[in-house]
CSV table of all heavy atoms in Angstrom, one decimal:
chain,number,residue,atom,x,y,z
A,60,VAL,N,-12.9,9.2,17.8
A,60,VAL,CA,-12.9,10.1,16.7
A,60,VAL,C,-11.5,10.2,16.2
A,60,VAL,O,-10.5,9.9,16.8
A,60,VAL,CB,-13.4,11.5,17.1
A,60,VAL,CG1,-14.9,11.4,17.6
A,60,VAL,CG2,-12.6,12.2,18.1
A,61,LEU,N,-11.4,10.7,14.9
A,61,LEU,CA,-10.1,11.0,14.3
A,61,LEU,C,-10.1,12.5,14.0
A,61,LEU,O,-10.9,13.0,13.2
A,61,LEU,CB,-9.9,10.2,13.0
A,61,LEU,CG,-8.7,10.5,12.2
A,61,LEU,CD1,-7.4,10.1,13.0
A,61,LEU,CD2,-8.7,9.8,10.8
A,62,ALA,N,-9.2,13.2,14.7
A,62,ALA,CA,-9.1,14.7,14.5
A,62,ALA,C,-7.6,15.1,14.5
A,62,ALA,O,-7.1,15.6,15.4
A,62,ALA,CB,-9.8,15.4,15.6
A,63,PRO,N,-6.9,14.7,13.4
A,63,PRO,CA,-5.5,15.0,13.3
A,63,PRO,C,-5.1,16.4,13.2
A,63,PRO,O,-5.8,17.2,12.5
A,63,PRO,CB,-5.0,14.2,12.1
A,63,PRO,CG,-6.2,14.2,11.2
A,63,PRO,CD,-7.4,14.1,12.2
A,64,LYS,N,-4.1,16.9,13.9
A,64,LYS,CA,-3.7,18.3,13.9
A,64,LYS,C,-2.8,18.6,12.7
A,64,LYS,O,-2.2,17.7,12.1
A,64,LYS,CB,-3.0,18.6,15.2
A,64,LYS,CG,-2.8,20.1,15.5
A,64,LYS,CD,-2.3,20.3,16.9
A,64,LYS,CE,-2.3,21.7,17.3
A,64,LYS,NZ,-1.9,21.9,18.7
A,65,GLY,N,-2.7,19.8,12.4
A,65,GLY,CA,-1.8,20.2,11.3
A,65,GLY,C,-2.5,21.1,10.3
A,65,GLY,O,-3.7,21.0,10.0
A,66,LYS,N,-1.8,22.1,9.7
A,66,LYS,CA,-2.3,23.0,8.7
A,66,LYS,C,-2.8,22.3,7.5
A,66,LYS,O,-3.9,22.6,7.0
A,66,LYS,CB,-1.3,24.1,8.4
A,66,LYS,CG,-0.9,25.0,9.5
A,66,LYS,CD,0.1,26.0,9.1
A,66,LYS,CE,0.4,27.0,10.2
A,66,LYS,NZ,1.4,28.0,9.8
A,67,LYS,N,-2.1,21.3,7.0
A,67,LYS,CA,-2.5,20.6,5.8
A,67,LYS,C,-3.8,19.8,6.1
A,67,LYS,O,-4.7,19.8,5.2
A,67,LYS,CB,-1.4,19.6,5.4
A,67,LYS,CG,-0.1,20.3,4.8
A,67,LYS,CD,0.9,19.3,4.4
A,67,LYS,CE,2.1,20.0,3.8
A,67,LYS,NZ,3.2,19.0,3.4
A,68,ASN,N,-3.9,19.2,7.2
A,68,ASN,CA,-5.1,18.4,7.6
A,68,ASN,C,-6.3,19.4,7.7
A,68,ASN,O,-7.4,19.0,7.3
A,68,ASN,CB,-4.9,17.7,8.9
A,68,ASN,CG,-3.9,16.5,8.7
A,68,ASN,OD1,-3.8,15.9,7.6
A,68,ASN,ND2,-3.3,16.1,9.8
A,69,ASP,N,-6.1,20.5,8.4
A,69,ASP,CA,-7.2,21.5,8.5
A,69,ASP,C,-7.7,21.9,7.2
A,69,ASP,O,-8.9,22.0,7.0
A,69,ASP,CB,-6.7,22.7,9.3
A,69,ASP,CG,-6.6,22.4,10.8
A,69,ASP,OD1,-7.1,21.4,11.3
A,69,ASP,OD2,-5.9,23.2,11.5
A,70,ALA,N,-6.8,22.2,6.2
A,70,ALA,CA,-7.2,22.7,4.9
A,70,ALA,C,-8.0,21.6,4.2
A,70,ALA,O,-9.0,22.0,3.5
A,70,ALA,CB,-5.9,23.0,4.1
A,71,VAL,N,-7.6,20.4,4.3
A,71,VAL,CA,-8.4,19.3,3.7
A,71,VAL,C,-9.8,19.1,4.4
A,71,VAL,O,-10.8,19.0,3.7
A,71,VAL,CB,-7.6,18.0,3.7
A,71,VAL,CG1,-8.5,16.8,3.3
A,71,VAL,CG2,-6.4,18.1,2.8
A,72,LEU,N,-9.8,19.1,5.7
A,72,LEU,CA,-11.0,18.8,6.4
A,72,LEU,C,-12.0,19.9,6.4
A,72,LEU,O,-13.2,19.7,6.5
A,72,LEU,CB,-10.7,18.5,7.9
A,72,LEU,CG,-9.9,17.2,8.1
A,72,LEU,CD1,-9.5,17.0,9.6
A,72,LEU,CD2,-10.6,16.0,7.6
A,73,GLN,N,-11.5,21.1,6.1
A,73,GLN,CA,-12.5,22.3,6.1
A,73,GLN,C,-13.3,22.3,4.8
A,73,GLN,O,-14.4,22.9,4.8
A,73,GLN,CB,-11.7,23.6,6.2
A,73,GLN,CG,-11.2,23.9,7.6
A,73,GLN,CD,-10.3,25.1,7.7
A,73,GLN,OE1,-10.0,25.7,6.7
A,73,GLN,NE2,-9.9,25.4,8.9
A,74,ASP,N,-12.8,21.7,3.7
A,74,ASP,CA,-13.6,21.7,2.5
A,74,ASP,C,-13.9,20.3,1.8
A,74,ASP,O,-14.3,20.3,0.7
A,74,ASP,CB,-13.0,22.7,1.5
A,74,ASP,CG,-11.7,22.1,0.9
A,74,ASP,OD1,-11.2,21.0,1.4
A,74,ASP,OD2,-11.1,22.7,0.0
A,75,THR,N,-13.6,19.3,2.6
A,75,THR,CA,-13.9,17.9,2.0
A,75,THR,C,-15.4,17.7,1.9
A,75,THR,O,-16.2,18.2,2.7
A,75,THR,CB,-13.2,16.8,2.9
A,75,THR,OG1,-13.3,15.6,2.2
A,75,THR,CG2,-13.9,16.7,4.2
A,76,LYS,N,-15.8,16.9,1.0
A,76,LYS,CA,-17.2,16.6,0.8
A,76,LYS,C,-17.5,15.1,1.1
A,76,LYS,O,-16.6,14.3,1.0
A,76,LYS,CB,-17.6,16.9,-0.7
A,76,LYS,CG,-17.4,18.4,-1.1
A,76,LYS,CD,-18.3,19.3,-0.3
A,76,LYS,CE,-18.3,20.7,-0.8
A,76,LYS,NZ,-17.0,21.4,-0.6
A,77,LYS,N,-18.7,14.8,1.4
A,77,LYS,CA,-19.1,13.5,1.6
A,77,LYS,C,-18.9,12.6,0.4
A,77,LYS,O,-19.2,13.0,-0.7
A,77,LYS,CB,-20.6,13.4,2.0
A,77,LYS,CG,-21.1,12.0,2.3
A,77,LYS,CD,-22.6,12.1,2.8
A,77,LYS,CE,-23.0,10.6,3.2
A,77,LYS,NZ,-24.4,10.6,3.8
A,78,GLY,N,-18.3,11.5,0.6
A,78,GLY,CA,-17.9,10.6,-0.5
A,78,GLY,C,-16.5,10.7,-1.0
A,78,GLY,O,-16.0,9.8,-1.7
A,79,GLU,N,-15.8,11.8,-0.6
A,79,GLU,CA,-14.4,11.9,-1.1
A,79,GLU,C,-13.6,10.9,-0.4
A,79,GLU,O,-13.7,10.6,0.8
A,79,GLU,CB,-13.9,13.3,-0.7
A,79,GLU,CG,-12.5,13.5,-1.2
A,79,GLU,CD,-11.9,14.9,-0.9
A,79,GLU,OE1,-12.6,15.7,-0.3
A,79,GLU,OE2,-10.7,15.2,-1.2
A,80,VAL,N,-12.6,10.3,-1.2
A,80,VAL,CA,-11.7,9.3,-0.7
A,80,VAL,C,-10.4,10.1,-0.3
A,80,VAL,O,-9.8,10.7,-1.2
A,80,VAL,CB,-11.4,8.2,-1.7
A,80,VAL,CG1,-10.4,7.2,-1.1
A,80,VAL,CG2,-12.7,7.5,-2.0
A,81,LEU,N,-10.0,9.9,0.9
A,81,LEU,CA,-8.7,10.5,1.4
A,81,LEU,C,-7.7,9.4,1.6
A,81,LEU,O,-8.0,8.4,2.2
A,81,LEU,CB,-9.0,11.3,2.7
A,81,LEU,CG,-10.0,12.5,2.7
A,81,LEU,CD1,-10.1,13.1,4.1
A,81,LEU,CD2,-9.5,13.5,1.7
A,82,ASP,N,-6.5,9.7,1.2
A,82,ASP,CA,-5.4,8.8,1.5
A,82,ASP,C,-4.9,9.0,2.9
A,82,ASP,O,-4.7,10.2,3.3
A,82,ASP,CB,-4.2,8.9,0.5
A,82,ASP,CG,-4.5,8.4,-0.9
A,82,ASP,OD1,-5.5,7.6,-1.0
A,82,ASP,OD2,-3.8,8.8,-1.8
A,83,LEU,N,-4.7,8.0,3.7
A,83,LEU,CA,-4.1,8.1,5.0
A,83,LEU,C,-2.6,7.9,4.9
A,83,LEU,O,-2.2,6.9,4.5
A,83,LEU,CB,-4.8,7.1,6.0
A,83,LEU,CG,-6.3,7.3,6.2
A,83,LEU,CD1,-6.8,6.1,7.0
A,83,LEU,CD2,-6.6,8.6,6.8
A,84,ILE,N,-1.9,9.0,5.4
A,84,ILE,CA,-0.4,9.0,5.2
A,84,ILE,C,0.2,8.9,6.6
A,84,ILE,O,-0.1,9.8,7.4
A,84,ILE,CB,0.1,10.2,4.4
A,84,ILE,CG1,-0.7,10.3,3.1
A,84,ILE,CG2,1.6,10.1,4.2
A,84,ILE,CD1,-0.5,9.2,2.1
A,85,ASN,N,1.2,8.0,6.7
A,85,ASN,CA,1.9,7.9,8.0
A,85,ASN,C,3.4,7.8,7.6
A,85,ASN,O,3.8,6.9,6.9
A,85,ASN,CB,1.5,6.7,8.8
A,85,ASN,CG,2.4,6.4,10.0
A,85,ASN,OD1,3.1,5.5,10.0
A,85,ASN,ND2,2.3,7.3,11.0
A,86,ASP,N,4.2,8.7,8.2
A,86,ASP,CA,5.7,8.7,7.9
A,86,ASP,C,6.0,8.7,6.4
A,86,ASP,O,6.9,8.0,6.0
A,86,ASP,CB,6.3,7.5,8.6
A,86,ASP,CG,6.4,7.7,10.1
A,86,ASP,OD1,6.3,8.8,10.6
A,86,ASP,OD2,6.6,6.7,10.8
A,87,GLY,N,5.2,9.4,5.7
A,87,GLY,CA,5.5,9.6,4.2
A,87,GLY,C,4.9,8.4,3.4
A,87,GLY,O,5.1,8.5,2.2
A,88,LYS,N,4.3,7.5,4.0
A,88,LYS,CA,3.8,6.3,3.2
A,88,LYS,C,2.2,6.2,3.3
A,88,LYS,O,1.7,6.5,4.4
A,88,LYS,CB,4.4,5.0,3.7
A,88,LYS,CG,5.9,4.9,3.5
A,88,LYS,CD,6.4,3.6,4.0
A,88,LYS,CE,7.9,3.5,3.8
A,88,LYS,NZ,8.5,2.2,4.3
Side-chain angles (χ1 to χ4, degrees):
V60 299
L61 177 64
K64 197 170 185 175
K66 293 181 179 179
K67 291 181 179 179
N68 288 334
D69 285 345
V71 170
L72 294 177
Q73 283 172 0
D74 70 354
T75 188
K76 299 294 189 293
K77 183 173 181 176
E79 181 181 359
V80 178
L81 300 177
D82 288 341
L83 299 175
I84 307 297
N85 171 251
D86 287 339
K88 295 181 180 180

